[in-house]
């Protein structure tokens, strides 16, 4: 939930994010190299990160933080040995003031090849190219609205029918998927029509897991701006969306991923809570 107050006549909301990832292994594993992309950006549109911490349950973990090409905070933890369990916990406080605003970007973002070229997950097949051609118009945002609405109708939300490796073309052919599939299909349509778009990982308040949506990049007197659409829910993204990271597709911003040496099986338990600041 959020808490809203008034500051100088403007609405002020505070989000407190608590996220936990616990990996349990049925035998010891070696050389764990884990990657987290879970920290909200310092600034994104009207979002402002006030503070954050990431803790690792293993005292001997070597943890580093860096920014990637998109400005996302990437955390890596390395452990020489995990006997049976390791846990990662994020605490973050984010403030937003005002009615909501698009993220402003440099003018070069409109022609950035990262947001115009297909990736393996967002490559357009003939069906997607034909759809993009039939739905696209001269005006960019109305075109994006049509793409968003089409994907919402074409992809029925269903767990277990796709994986993180499912492509946009495959998801559209199946007609079922989760939020990341809807985002990939909309991105494929946009890029096929020459409309720059990027994948967004974050949180939709009231949902238990992470969420995914799309930002379409359009020219603006200030340079460029990223307009957020949620094709999974068929609407613009608003104040109940908390952005964590942006990239070309899911692969760039997977919240949790990693490798280890060993034959053990790992089980992930994840929890998330967005609550009022105490």
């Amino acid at each position: 939930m959020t808490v809203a107050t008034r500051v100088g006549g403007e609405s002020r909301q505070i989000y407190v994010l608590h996220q936990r990832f616990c990996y349990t292994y049925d035998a010891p594993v070696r050389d764990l190299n884990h990657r987290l992309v879970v920290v909200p950006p310092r600034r994104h549109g009207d979002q402002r990160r006030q503070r954050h911490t990431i803790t690792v349950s293993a005292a001997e973990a070597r943890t580093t933080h860096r920014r990637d090409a998109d400005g996302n905070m990437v955390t890596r933890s390395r452990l020489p040995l995990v006997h049976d369990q390791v846990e990662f916990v994020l605490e973050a406080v984010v403030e937003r003031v005002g009615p909501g605003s698009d993220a402003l970007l440099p003018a070069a973002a409109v022609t950035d090849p990262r947001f115009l070229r297909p990736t393996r997950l967002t490559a357009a097949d003939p069906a997607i190219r034909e759809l993009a051609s039939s739905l696209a118009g001269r005006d960019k945002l109305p075109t994006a609205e049509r793409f968003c609405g089409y994907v919402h109708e074409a992809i029925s939300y269903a767990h277990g029918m796709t994986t993180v490796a499912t492509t946009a073309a495959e998801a559209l052919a199946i007609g079922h998927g989760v939020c990341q599939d809807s985002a990939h299909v909309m991105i494929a349509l946009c890029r096929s029509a020459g409309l720059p778009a990027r994948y967004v990982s974050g949180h939709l308040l009231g949902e238990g897991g992470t969420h995914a949506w799309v930002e379409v990049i359009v020219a603006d007197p200030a340079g460029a701006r990223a307009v957020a659409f949620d094709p999974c829910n068929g609407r613009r993204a608003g104040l109940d969306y908390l952005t964590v990271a942006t990239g070309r597709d899911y692969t760039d911003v997977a919240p949790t991923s990693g490798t280890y040496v060993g034959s053990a099986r790992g089980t992930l338990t994840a929890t998330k809570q967005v609550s009022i600041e105490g």
Side-chain angles (χ1 to χ4, degrees), residues 19-163:
Q19 201 165 13
R20 172 181 171 270
F21 302 93
C22 183
Y23 286 87
T24 303
Y25 304 97
D26 59 11
V29 301
R30 295 182 291 109
D31 298 330
L32 179 74
N33 183 354
H34 204 80
R35 178 179 186 265
L36 295 170
V37 186
V38 295
V39 179
R42 184 173 297 280
R43 180 170 181 169
H44 186 90
D46 61 354
Q47 281 187 207
R48 303 290 185 273
R49 188 184 75 231
Q50 300 299 311
R51 58 185 181 272
H52 80 280
T53 60
I54 291 182
T55 57
V56 185
S57 60
E60 66 273 26
R62 293 183 291 112
T63 301
T64 60
H65 310 275
R66 68 170 183 84
R67 297 190 184 281
D68 65 10
D70 293 290
N72 305 311
M73 177 75 78
V74 178
T75 299
R76 285 193 178 274
S77 285
R78 292 174 171 83
L79 275 162
L81 178 67
V82 178
H83 290 284
D84 56 4
Q85 188 178 90
V86 62
E87 182 178 88
F88 307 91
V89 176
L90 165 73
E91 298 273 2
V93 176
V94 177
E95 176 189 62
R96 64 197 325 165
V97 177
S101 62
D102 300 327
L104 296 180
L105 303 172
V110 176
T111 56
D112 191 331
R114 288 172 54 82
F115 310 132
L116 286 165
R117 291 175 182 167
T119 63
R120 190 192 74 80
L121 293 175
T122 62
D125 65 355
I128 289 177
R129 286 193 290 270
E130 183 177 346
L131 280 168
S133 178
S134 65
L135 292 171
R138 296 183 63 181
D139 296 327
K140 298 184 183 301
L141 286 181
T143 292
E145 294 273 9
R146 286 192 291 275
F147 288 164
C148 180
Y150 176 85
V151 174
H152 177 61
E153 294 297 327
I155 305 293
S156 298
Y157 191 88
H159 276 285
M161 300 193 69
T162 59
T163 72

Side-chain angles (χ1 to χ4, degrees), residues 168-254:
E170 290 167 343
L172 186 60
I174 295 169
H176 296 277
V178 293
C179 55
Q180 73 192 31
D181 299 302
S182 295
H184 285 152
V185 174
M186 181 171 172
I187 290 170
L189 287 167
C190 287
R191 292 176 183 169
S192 184
L195 186 59
R198 62 186 185 180
Y199 184 100
V200 185
S201 174
H203 305 287
L204 174 55
L205 303 190
E207 287 194 347
T210 57
H211 193 57
W213 59 97
V214 176
E215 285 183 343
V216 175
I217 300 167
V218 297
D220 184 87
R225 59 191 174 98
V227 183
F229 294 86
D230 180 3
C232 184
N233 289 295
R235 66 189 189 195
R236 293 273 189 105
L239 290 174
D240 49 346
Y241 291 75
L242 188 64
T243 296
V244 169
T246 62
R248 296 166 298 176
D249 60 24
Y250 171 83
T251 306
D252 283 346
V253 296

